[in-house]
Amino acid sequence: MESIFKEGFRILPGFLDADAQAAMLRDVRGIVRAAPLFHPVTPRGKQMSVRMSAAGQYGWVTDRRGYRYERRHPEGGAWPPIPDSILAVWQAVSGVDRAPQCCLVNFYGEGARMGLHQDKDEADFTMPVVSISLGDDGLFRMGREARGGKTSSVWLHSGDVVVMAGEARLKHHGVDRIRFGTSTLLPQGGRINLTLRVVD
Ligand code: SIN
Ligand code: MN
């Protein structure tokens, strides 16, 4: 399996073939049936353009009270378990013994994006974050650990996996834009990104 390092981010292009993507999409639909996508609001009151859900012991949420992991969906139910198809990717690429406790589901509709940020609400930064992309292409921007400075970008396609570990674990990253309708995986278009995290 080809693996490219860019700014310390390990990118595995085409990690999932078309059949594996379709199977995983069915599993993601199961997650959002149990835990419906919601539109999170930042602590400053700005609605995010992505919609979110999660699977696992924890989901990542944001609202006026701040960014945090919660054991329950904002509407009150427990998160569904992380499907085996998704756990298998973590087992193949994470290089650690612990299992992920959160699979964050981000859905990017037309025009959705995600600003540069760090993933730092987890307790142990020696644990990687593993990202899986499904559906339309997304322009993934990678920066530094400190704010500002040089960034570089790569288009992520359906089936690509990114491992944020080691020097990349706390680096800024975000999605500038998606190319809506570039993939046929989602009949209505859009991009799904799954991120697997060890939380506590
Ligand atoms: C994230 O950083 O949570 C999402 C990254 C992506 O959508 O590729
Ligand atoms: Mn992130």
Side-chain angles (χ1 to χ4, degrees):
M1 178 60 62
E2 184 196 6
S3 165
I4 302 165
F5 278 90
K6 228 177 145 120
E7 312 293 341
F9 291 74
R10 182 176 169 212
I11 301 166
L12 297 121
F15 185 84
L16 299 172
D17 66 19
D19 287 348
Q21 292 170 40
M24 192 175 287
L25 178 62
R26 284 194 289 278
D27 288 339
V28 173
R29 291 198 197 285
I31 295 173
V32 301
R33 266 198 303 277
L37 290 165
F38 55 94
H39 238 146
V41 175
T42 68
R44 298 173 141 222
K46 194 168 179 290
Q47 188 168 81
M48 293 180 73
S49 56
V50 298
R51 291 191 292 151
M52 289 186 178
S53 183
Q57 283 159 259
Y58 293 96
W60 185 87
V61 300
T62 172
D63 57 22
R64 295 306 291 237
R65 286 165 47 213
Y67 301 131
R68 62 196 184 277
Y69 284 96
E70 287 280 3
R71 289 181 181 272
R72 295 195 163 263
H73 186 280
E75 282 159 25
W79 307 101
I82 302 176
D84 288 344
S85 63
I86 300 173
L87 289 173
V89 175
W90 173 272
Q91 275 143 18
V93 305
S94 72
V96 298
D97 289 335
R98 287 190 69 185
Q101 296 171 304
C102 171
C103 172
L104 181 66
V105 178
N106 286 155
F107 178 75
Y108 296 73
E110 192 163 13
R113 56 186 301 280
M114 184 167 304
L116 274 181
H117 66 277
Q118 295 171 287
D119 287 1
K120 56 179 185 187
D121 298 319
E122 304 75 28
D124 182 354
F125 300 137
T126 69
M127 292 290 122
V129 172
V130 172
S131 137
I132 306 167
S133 293
L134 295 172
D136 291 339
D137 299 346
L139 186 58
F140 185 64
R141 183 182 292 275
M142 296 158 286
R144 306 190 170 182
E145 187 162 333
R147 281 176 85 89
K150 191 175 70 63
T151 64
S152 56
S153 301
V154 64
W155 280 101
L156 295 180
H157 308 285
S158 196
D160 292 354
V161 168
V162 180
V163 183
M164 298 183 253
E167 61 161 308
R169 177 62 182 79
L170 286 171
K171 284 189 173 174
H172 285 79
H173 57 275
V175 174
D176 289 350
R177 59 193 164 92
I178 68 163
R179 274 197 296 231
F180 191 76
T182 40
S183 162
T184 54
L185 184 68
L186 291 151
Q188 317 280 343
R191 173 174 186 264
I192 294 168
N193 178 262
L194 307 172
T195 43
L196 292 162
R197 300 119 185 274
V198 174
V199 173
D200 62 22

